[in-house]
């Protein structure tokens, strides 16, 4: 079989490694891929949002199955266009992808179907938003409605900060069009859990839970990033929490999307907070998380391609989805300065042992040498029977990769270990 994966980060590298385990797979193309992915797939210089070129490529190369991984092409209708052209593919159509691309849609869906989430109001008028803030409890959370590269969320600790955030989104348009509508919501507290799930629009099967580490610095200090590391499973996600999530959140969300005429197929990502009142939805993503995928898929024992095809065909209920009982840890190595400005172009050296555990995010090939080309450069994943062993092994493996100006958090998984000790 010939497969095509759209995207070019660590998540896509992890997806490709898992797809390759199926012996029926002969060739995997990655559009556009990156210098590290090139060791596992044929990278094709077509951008992740160049949907016309993707469809033309798929037809010319008789692609049997496509996987659309990032949020942008999903929101732009890559799955619709490929399906229309007769290429079966993994991911939601544009109508369903709106669950991530419009926070206002997601919040209204949860309100209508009684799915637990933070209380909120939606505003399109700046003066009304500012007036509302005068009466709302502080801290308060301000979110730009549309996709804002994960940066459209501001937690304001004072009324002044909250007003400044609303003005910067609605008047100064710091997130562009995304800020013409804002969601103002209640600040929740509690540990966060990421749960990715497979769904065919009817059946939903949660994957092993995980925990992201979003801040750049140790002990959750510094700026928000795309994610500096992950562990799985997340100890906060006990069997009792899992049962409540299934009943109060996962099944109702899938049913709600179907009832709205937007059946969701693909990977639905539940960003949850376990509050004193029980689990609540912080956000939905219409795709695999990055770097959650880099710990979740290495624990998947069943065949990824078979499961993905079942989400497309509507046969997920009859498909085996089994995860190992083990644990995984992914440590991201980033360029010094990230998520603000950083230098690139530094050669990367890696031992063969570490390479096998590495998912490359921001690196390109300069002739035959892999050089850094992004903020998050790569993630090193280890799996082991216990979380402590997985963490120790991931950090040991990071010693096998070097590039100038690299940094990583030293405390990935520490909070999870503390939670286990109670
Ligand atoms: P999001 O982009 O929606 O995932 O938000 C980014 C981060 O902001 C989340 O991972 C949470 O840590 C935090 N956050 C978002 N919404 C809330 C909320 N209502 N209460 C507390 N923290 C929140
Ligand atoms: N790691 C969070 C995300 O993929 O959005």
């Amino acid at each position: 079989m010939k497969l095509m994966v759209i995207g070019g980060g660590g998540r896509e590298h992890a997806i490709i490694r898992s797809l390759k385990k199926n012996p029926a797979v002969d060739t995997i193309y990655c559009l556009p891929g990156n210098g590290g992915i090139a060791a596992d797939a044929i990278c094709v210089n077509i951008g992740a949002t160049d949907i016309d070129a993707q469809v033309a490529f798929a037809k010319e190369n008789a692609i049997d199955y496509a996987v659309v991984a990032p949020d942008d092409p999903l929101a732009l209708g890559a799955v619709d266009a490929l399906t229309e052209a007769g290429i079966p593919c993994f991911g939601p159509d544009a109508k369903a992808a709106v669950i991530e691309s419009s926070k206002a849609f997601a919040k209204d869906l949860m309100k209508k179907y009684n799915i637990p989430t933070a209380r909120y109001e939606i505003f399109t008028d700046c003066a009304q938003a500012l007036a509302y803030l005068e009466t709302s409890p502080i801290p308060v959370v301000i979110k730009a409605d549309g996709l804002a590269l994960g940066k459209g969320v501001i937690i304001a600790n004072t009324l002044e900060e909250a007003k400044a955030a609303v003005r910067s989104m609605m008047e100064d348009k710091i997130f562009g069009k995304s800020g013409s509508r804002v969601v103002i919501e209640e600040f929740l507290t509690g540990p966060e859990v990421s749960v990715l799930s497979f769904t065919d629009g009817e059946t939903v099967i949660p994957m092993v839970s995980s925990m992201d580490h979003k801040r750049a610095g140790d002990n959750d200090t510094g700026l928000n990033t795309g994610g500096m590391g992950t562990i799985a499973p997340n100890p906060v996600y006990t069997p009792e929490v899992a049962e409540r999530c299934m009943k109060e959140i996962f099944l109702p969300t899938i049913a709600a999307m179907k009832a709205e005429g937007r059946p969701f197929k693909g990977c639905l990502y539940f960003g949850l907070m376990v509050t004193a009142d029980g689990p609540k939805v912080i956000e939905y993503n219409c795709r695999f998380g990055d770097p959650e995928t880099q710990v979740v898929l290495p624990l998947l024992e069943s065949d990824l391609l078979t499961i993905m095809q079942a989400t497309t065909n509507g046969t997920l209920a009859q498909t085996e989805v089994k995860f190992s009982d083990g644990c995984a840890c992914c440590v991201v190595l980033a360029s010094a300065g990230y998520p603000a400005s950083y230098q690139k172009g530094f050669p990367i050296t890696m031992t063969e042992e570490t390479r096998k555990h590495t998912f490359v995010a921001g690196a390109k090939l300069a002739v035959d040498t892999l050089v850094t080309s992004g903020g998050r450069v790569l993630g090193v994943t280890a799996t082991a029977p216990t979380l402590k062993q997985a963490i120790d092994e991931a950090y040991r493996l990071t010693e096998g990769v070097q590039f100038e100006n690299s940094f990583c958090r030293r405390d990935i998984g520490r909070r999870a270990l503390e939670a286990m000790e109670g």
Side-chain angles (χ1 to χ4, degrees), residues 57-81:
F57 180 86
K59 287 208 277 202
E60 273 160 33
N61 292 278
I63 296 298
D64 297 297
Y65 193 71
V67 177
V68 184
D71 48 353
D72 288 333
L74 289 167
L76 290 169
V79 167
D80 310 58

Side-chain angles (χ1 to χ4, degrees), residues 15 19 30 79 105 114 130 158 210 223 226 237 245-246 258 280 285 294 297 324 348 364 378 389:
I15 290 171
L19 289 171
C30 191
V79 167
F105 171 86
N114 237 338
L130 293 172
T158 65
S210 55
L223 294 171
Y237 193 70
C245 287
M246 187 51 123
K258 190 180 164 199
K280 296 193 179 180
N285 290 326
Q294 291 91 313
L297 289 185
S324 93
I348 303 169
K364 61 178 188 184
L378 52 86
Q389 289 166 336

